[in-house]
């Protein structure tokens, strides 16, 4: 597989971006869906990027969750190769790969971190077994990958913040570098912050609280999922509609 190999130095560089951040100044990680968008974000000055699986899937013509593993890793490798800043990759639930193979594929793709979710087919996994699996991933990766453990309590569970904190504690104990309670309402972030050890990833919406506001509520880092890709697609749709209208207006009949 093409791509640039990464090592502990690059992962440590990425890891350091998550620590010592004052309230209101979270690490903002835009989500590129291809090499071109990655270059736009890197050129804008963002110190690191985090690919969204749904955004990459859309760029490849797949529905969210339906991208073949080989295509996802290839797309991620193109993104990582296109920029000089660290890239973390959302690889869903690991595609059924054994921890060692998953780590090898991520490193071959040239990324320094990964998102790993704790649900499959819209159903939460057993938290203890998932924590054991995360521990194997962390062991195989050593310090070469930043592991962001996503918990889906708020999108596939009952939305109980206490349950999210319990699952987060298991994942941190297993070696996760960060916890991502995706879909958690902004008002719940202070409670999660008080119960979660280490960095906390918050999901941001373009029409919701700003990254700074999420940081004030307790977020260490902020990601957007496929939000930026979808906004770009909407903008392109508007441009296409105007072009189509202009083309139709320019047709002459004889």
């Amino acid at each position: 597989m093409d791509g640039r190999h990464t090592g502990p130095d690059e992962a440590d560089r990425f890891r350091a971006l998550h620590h010592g951040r004052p309230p209101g100044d979270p690490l903002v990680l835009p989500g590129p869906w291809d090499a071109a968008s990655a270059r736009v974000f890197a050129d804008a000055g963002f110190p690191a990027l985090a690919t969204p699986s749904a955004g990459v899937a859309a760029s490849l013509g797949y529905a969210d969750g339906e991208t073949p593993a080989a295509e996802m890793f290839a797309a991620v490798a193109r993104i990582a190769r296109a920029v000089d800043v660290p890239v973390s990759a959302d690889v869903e639930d690991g595609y059924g790969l054994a921890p060692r193979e998953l780590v090898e594929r991520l490193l071959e793709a040239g990324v320094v971190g990964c998102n790993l979710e704790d649900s499959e087919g819209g159903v939460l996994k057993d938290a203890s077994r998932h924590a054991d699996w995360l521990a194997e991933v962390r062991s195989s990766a050593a310090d070469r990958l930043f592991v962001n453990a996503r918990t889906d309590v708020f999108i596939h569970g009952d939305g109980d913040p206490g349950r999210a904190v319990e699952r987060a504690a298991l994942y941190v104990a297993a070696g996760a570098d960060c916890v991502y309670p995706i879909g958690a309402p902004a008002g719940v972030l202070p409670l999660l912050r008080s119960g979660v050890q280490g960095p906390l990833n918050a999901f941001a919406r373009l029409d919701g609280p700003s990254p700074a506001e999420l940081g004030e509520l307790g977020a260490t880092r902020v990601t957007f999922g496929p939000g930026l890709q979808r906004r770009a697609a909407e903008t392109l749709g508007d441009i296409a509609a105007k072009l189509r209208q202009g083309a139709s207006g320019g047709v002459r009949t004889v």
Side-chain angles (χ1 to χ4, degrees):
M1 177 183 292
D2 291 336
R4 56 186 179 89
H5 288 262
T6 56
D9 289 347
E10 288 192 76
D12 285 344
R13 174 185 167 196
F14 181 63
R15 193 171 282 114
L17 294 172
H18 294 75
H19 295 282
R21 307 196 70 89
D25 182 31
L27 175 61
V28 179
L29 299 174
W33 53 94
D34 59 14
S37 59
R39 286 179 177 143
V40 168
F41 296 135
D43 289 347
F46 288 98
L49 307 174
T51 69
S53 61
V56 173
S59 76
L60 297 174
Y62 293 102
D64 185 20
E66 296 184 3
T67 308
E71 292 197 44
M72 180 62 75
F73 285 113
V76 166
R78 288 191 292 272
I79 290 169
R81 189 171 57 240
V83 295
D84 292 327
V85 299
V87 175
S88 180
D90 180 352
V91 288
E92 305 180 66
D93 65 351
Y95 307 111
L97 298 173
R100 182 174 180 178
E101 182 180 358
L102 175 61
V103 167
E104 288 175 352
R105 307 251 330 239
L106 286 164
L107 294 175
E108 287 173 358
V111 300
V112 300
C114 59
N115 276 18
L116 294 169
E117 58 198 49
D118 66 353
S119 66
E120 182 178 11
V123 178
L124 288 174
K125 298 179 180 180
D126 178 84
S128 294
R129 286 199 293 269
H130 185 64
D132 290 342
W133 182 77
L134 286 174
E136 291 185 52
V137 172
R138 191 69 173 83
S139 177
S140 295
D143 292 328
R144 296 174 296 170
L145 286 175
F146 182 100
V147 177
N148 188 32
R150 197 181 96 175
T151 179
D152 294 352
V153 167
F154 294 96
I155 60 173
H156 296 314
D158 59 8
D160 179 2
R163 184 163 286 106
V165 168
E166 290 172 0
R167 295 175 82 90
L170 289 172
Y171 304 159
V172 170
D177 294 282
C178 184
V179 176
Y180 181 17
I182 187 172
V188 175
L189 288 177
L191 178 59
L192 296 174
R193 174 68 285 164
S194 66
V196 173
Q197 298 296 315
L200 180 68
N201 189 152
F203 174 73
R205 300 180 185 277
L206 294 177
D207 59 353
S210 70
E213 290 170 329
L214 294 174
E216 291 286 355
L217 292 171
T220 308
R221 83 179 207 175
V222 171
T223 53
F224 301 86
L228 301 178
Q229 181 270 329
R230 290 172 180 171
R231 177 63 63 86
E234 290 173 3
T235 300
L236 187 58
D238 291 341
I239 294 172
K242 291 177 182 178
L243 289 174
R244 179 63 180 148
Q245 290 171 0
S248 298
V251 174
R252 296 183 179 180
T253 58
V254 293

